[in-house]
Amino acid sequence: MDCAARTHSVVSTATMTSALFSKNSAHSRVFTVKCSSKNLSLDGASSGLVERPWKVADARLVLEDGSIWKAKSFGARGTQVGEVVFNTSLTGYQEIITDPSYAGQFVLMTNPHIGNTGINFDDEESMQCFLAGLVIRSLSISTSNWRCTETLGDYLAERNIMGIYDVDTRAITRRLREDGSLIGVLSTENSKSDEELLEMSRTWDIVGVDLISGVSCKSPYQWIDRTGSDWEFNDNGRNKETFNVVAYDFGIKHNILRRLASYGCKITVVPSTWPASETLKMKPDGVLFSNGPGDPSAVPYAVEAVKELIGKVPVFGICMGHQLLGQALGGKTFKMKFGHHGGNHPVRNLQNGCVEISAQNHNYAVDPESLPDGVEVTHVNLNDGSCAGLASSKMKLMSLQYHPEASPGPHDSDPVFGEFIQLMKQEKVKA
């Protein structure tokens, strides 16, 4: 009998002798059982052992608070450091991992089941992935979507992005909500000790780092693509007039550009360092300041460009653009405890009293008490009362802290693109 094939332990050749009855009994008998190891080595490397059909934990997430989370890896391998944030969206993981605003961050998905729709190249929000890594509870073992072209794991591996699964995402989320966003180190390297990884997490910081320059385009380009007819959801009363818009790329998402183009804008995208004087030479009808990653205080060059353009041309700020407008107006921004990341955040529009369910992704906010007179707070986040929108008719500006293009997310805020069109149209009439 081959005992090694039935147990996890390795047994050398042995002889077991046992009596079924007492030796003094007339019915006693003796038998021998031999167990062969078949030359199995202690490390299980012999061909006598069948490889386990399941993956074992081969990765660690070490947080700066000292907690260590064992997990299984997918995507790329290695060691990576980043800020851990949680996202409450139920769908749209592909749009999330291609959102440049996540540069330098590990995105933890609170929805447990990820990867079931695979990957398709129509849903990308940028040309590459900028996030540091992806943390999920359950990785789908199969994909089921008619547009799928490859699996999530293969997609991340090709782009050198690390991912882990089979980790308690609910416990980590509670820790982040209670303690705030934490720096973490994700590693599949056994050569690095827990102490080394912990030291890495405690010596790295995301505050004050210019992340925009790493995600912005390097030279101007024209954008012409609109929202596809199969996906268009708001084409009623669309203005037929064309408006020339300069869009500052602080980490801009493709669907922001598509929505602007669908509303009749001819768009020129420029790098984050593009001088305001060059923008004015282009004689735009309006300027968009896009979303982007990190700390607005770390990019004073962007604040100066925004400051030079305020009042000279209609401007619209989204997310990072909203924060840069706040600073350019003389206001202050601050880092939130764990930020807003998800597609289900309620926001009250103070101009019409309506509540919009919004898609959000930011760790910083504008302090409304620091803003000058003449600047109106137009939107408020109903979860925590933070400033979610600004406007000033005198200075021809408007902004939102969240993502009106909602990719992924609900479309409640899409009409704001029409409001930007009206702002530019009013200025044209004055001219």
Side-chain angles (χ1 to χ4, degrees):
M1 180 175 62
D2 188 356
C3 295
R6 298 176 181 234
T7 64
H8 292 294
S9 59
V10 178
V11 183
S12 60
T13 302
T15 301
M16 181 189 303
T17 303
S18 174
L20 290 177
F21 305 99
S22 170
K23 291 183 179 180
N24 297 327
S25 170
H27 301 287
S28 65
R29 62 178 179 175
V30 177
F31 67 90
T32 300
V33 178
K34 292 184 178 181
C35 296
S36 173
S37 67
K38 291 188 177 179
N39 298 321
L40 294 180
S41 61
L42 291 176
D43 62 3
S46 169
S47 60
L49 283 180
V50 178
E51 185 178 349
R52 293 174 180 174
W54 60 87
K55 186 179 178 71
V56 298
D58 62 343
R60 290 166 290 167
L61 174 62
V62 179
L63 300 180
E64 62 176 308
D65 64 359
S67 60
I68 300 172
W69 307 81
K70 298 292 182 66
K72 300 172 184 177
S73 68
F74 70 106
R77 299 181 64 82
T79 299
Q80 180 66 50
V81 62
E83 181 183 41
V84 186
V85 299
F86 63 89
N87 187 297
T88 56
S89 294
L90 299 179
T91 61
Y93 58 80
Q94 183 175 348
E95 292 93 326
I96 290 167
I97 64 178
T98 54
D99 181 350
S101 297
Y102 282 113
Q105 293 179 323
F106 294 130
V107 180
L108 181 152
M109 301 297 296
T110 59
N111 184 31
H113 196 54
I114 301 295
N116 54 310
T117 56
I119 293 292
N120 74 84
F121 297 105
D122 293 333
D123 288 349
E124 294 187 318
E125 288 298 324
S126 64
M127 299 301 293
Q128 67 182 92
C129 298
F130 292 100
L131 79 168
L134 184 63
V135 180
I136 62 177
R137 177 66 185 93
S138 175
L139 178 64
S140 179
I141 61 174
S142 63
T143 59
S144 179
N145 186 277
W146 64 276
R147 296 192 299 151
C148 174
T149 57
E150 66 177 328
T151 66
L152 175 60
D154 290 342
Y155 180 83
L156 294 183
E158 292 166 3
R159 287 152 182 78
N160 198 34
I161 302 297
M162 298 181 67
I164 58 171
Y165 67 102
D166 268 11
V167 64
D168 193 342
T169 51
R170 291 204 296 181
I172 299 176
T173 299
R174 288 193 65 177
R175 191 173 294 248
L176 297 176
R177 282 186 60 85
E178 292 170 1
D179 301 336
S181 298
L182 295 169
I183 303 301
V185 179
L186 186 57
S187 181
T188 59
E189 298 179 287
N190 293 329
S191 61
K192 297 186 183 296
S193 67
D194 294 340
E195 291 72 20
E196 289 178 298
L197 299 180
L198 180 60
E199 180 65 18
M200 288 178 62
S201 70
R202 290 177 174 175
T203 55
W204 188 85
D205 199 356
I206 198 170
V207 177
V209 177
D210 177 4
L211 297 173
I212 287 177
S213 58
V215 302
S216 178
C217 63
K218 305 306 178 185
S219 59
Y221 64 92
Q222 302 292 319
W223 180 276
I224 58 174
D225 290 347
R226 301 185 176 197
T227 301
S229 58
D230 291 341
W231 307 105
E232 181 56 69
F233 52 86
N234 184 18
D235 57 359
N236 294 327
R238 192 66 52 79
N239 197 297
K240 302 301 181 183
E241 192 174 357
T242 299
F243 296 88
N244 294 313
V245 172
V246 171
Y248 272 78
D249 180 9
F250 300 130
I252 199 164
K253 294 173 66 178
H254 287 172
N255 270 305
I256 290 178
L257 296 171
R258 290 191 184 105
R259 296 313 294 152
L260 277 174
S262 295
Y263 272 87
C265 295
K266 182 180 178 182
I267 308 164
T268 302
V269 183
V270 299
S272 60
T273 55
W274 192 254
S277 58
E278 292 300 314
T279 297
L280 293 174
K281 288 179 183 178
M282 299 164 73
K283 300 186 182 304
D285 296 311
V287 174
L288 172 78
F289 303 121
S290 82
N291 62 292
D295 183 357
S297 299
V299 287
Y301 59 87
V303 176
E304 286 303 313
V306 173
K307 189 181 298 185
E308 290 181 41
L309 291 169
I310 290 177
K312 298 176 181 176
V313 62
V315 298
F316 178 25
I318 295 176
C319 202
M320 171 61 76
H322 162 84
Q323 298 162 17
L324 295 175
L325 271 171
Q327 288 200 2
L329 290 167
K332 297 178 181 179
T333 56
F334 62 94
K335 194 173 192 299
M336 308 176 80
K337 185 176 181 180
F338 48 79
H340 297 158
H341 311 277
N344 52 2
H345 288 253
V347 171
R348 181 179 294 280
N349 184 330
L350 300 179
Q351 296 174 312
N352 58 23
C354 294
V355 173
E356 304 168 7
I357 304 302
S358 65
Q360 305 209 7
N361 175 23
H362 61 102
N363 267 32
Y364 292 82
V366 175
D367 178 8
E369 299 299 324
S370 66
L371 295 171
D373 293 338
V375 179
E376 175 189 5
V377 174
T378 58
H379 297 73
V380 174
N381 188 298
L382 294 181
N383 284 338
D384 58 12
S386 59
C387 174
L390 300 172
S392 172
S393 56
K394 181 179 180 180
M395 290 181 273
K396 298 175 286 191
L397 65 86
M398 56 183 291
S399 70
L400 288 180
Q401 178 58 86
Y402 51 95
H403 289 245
E405 85 292 346
S407 296
H411 300 146
D412 299 24
S413 302
D414 187 75
V416 75
F417 291 107
E419 294 174 19
F420 183 42
I421 296 297
Q422 290 302 311
L423 187 62
M424 292 187 288
K425 191 172 185 179
Q426 291 169 9
E427 192 63 21
K428 263 190 172 184
V429 171
K430 292 179 182 178

